[in-house]
Amino acid sequence: MKLQKLVLASTATFLAIGAGSAFAQFKNSEDAIKYRQSAFTVMANSFGKIGAVVKGEAPYNKDDVAKNAAVVATLSTLPWQAFGPGTEGGKAQSDIWSDNAKFKAAADKMQLAVVDLNKAAQSGDLDSIKKSFGAAGATCKGCHDDFKKK
Ligand code: ASC
């Protein structure tokens, strides 16, 4: 099985069993904050590389976009387990804990959007990559507006 297909399948499995299932353990809140910020940092790096292609600032290379989209899709499943009770802090707004259902819905929306982006990226259709990239970016922004400190 090719890596991207494996990642797609793994991503679907992650989503099916429920994003944020706790396979990571954290010593303390600082450890959890570092973990979730690291996952977002690596995700943003790959997402930004796709963004450069979408904006015409970098040439379109199917394999590179496919790899970056697979990274985004996989990494998108990771941060949530590091927002457990008692891990307030960093850039996270307290609404994440006081309105956790809304936060979870926003997190799920983003994960579904990046699965779409990954499908488009694996197919190599630049128009659908552009569309799904825009939709995915909107889910990043929506969650930041509501839940991330400026
Ligand atoms: C990025 C990045 C985000 C999103 C967001 C989209 O490249 O780091 O957080 O896109 O800015 O609106």
Side-chain angles (χ1 to χ4, degrees), residues 1-134:
M1 197 186 279
K2 285 182 69 181
L3 176 64
Q4 284 87 359
K5 283 199 181 140
L6 182 65
V7 169
L8 258 184
S10 313
T11 303
T13 306
F14 268 123
L15 288 171
I17 63 173
S21 60
F23 60 78
Q25 286 183 342
F26 305 102
K27 290 191 286 287
N28 48 44
S29 61
E30 288 73 28
D31 196 29
I33 292 165
K34 197 165 142 188
Y35 180 95
R36 68 200 187 209
Q37 290 185 348
S38 302
F40 283 127
T41 298
V42 177
M43 201 188 321
N45 180 282
S46 278
F47 194 71
K49 284 176 183 156
I50 302 169
V53 173
V54 165
K55 289 174 207 147
E57 295 164 3
Y60 175 52
N61 175 289
K62 185 190 165 180
D63 287 348
D64 287 350
V65 170
K67 280 179 192 162
N68 280 311
V71 168
V72 171
T74 299
L75 270 287
S76 76
T77 66
L78 297 179
W80 322 111
Q81 62 192 315
F83 284 98
T87 64
E88 288 87 343
K91 291 190 170 179
Q93 288 194 23
S94 57
D95 291 16
I96 289 171
W97 291 272
S98 63
D99 195 353
N100 193 252
K102 187 178 172 191
F103 178 66
K104 190 179 179 308
D108 288 350
K109 205 170 161 187
M110 184 276 273
Q111 289 172 87
L112 291 171
V114 301
V115 166
D116 280 349
L117 173 61
N118 193 26
K119 281 182 191 154
Q122 305 311 320
S123 81
D125 175 358
L126 188 53
D127 279 342
S128 18
I129 291 169
K130 286 180 180 172
K131 279 190 198 117
S132 51
F133 178 86

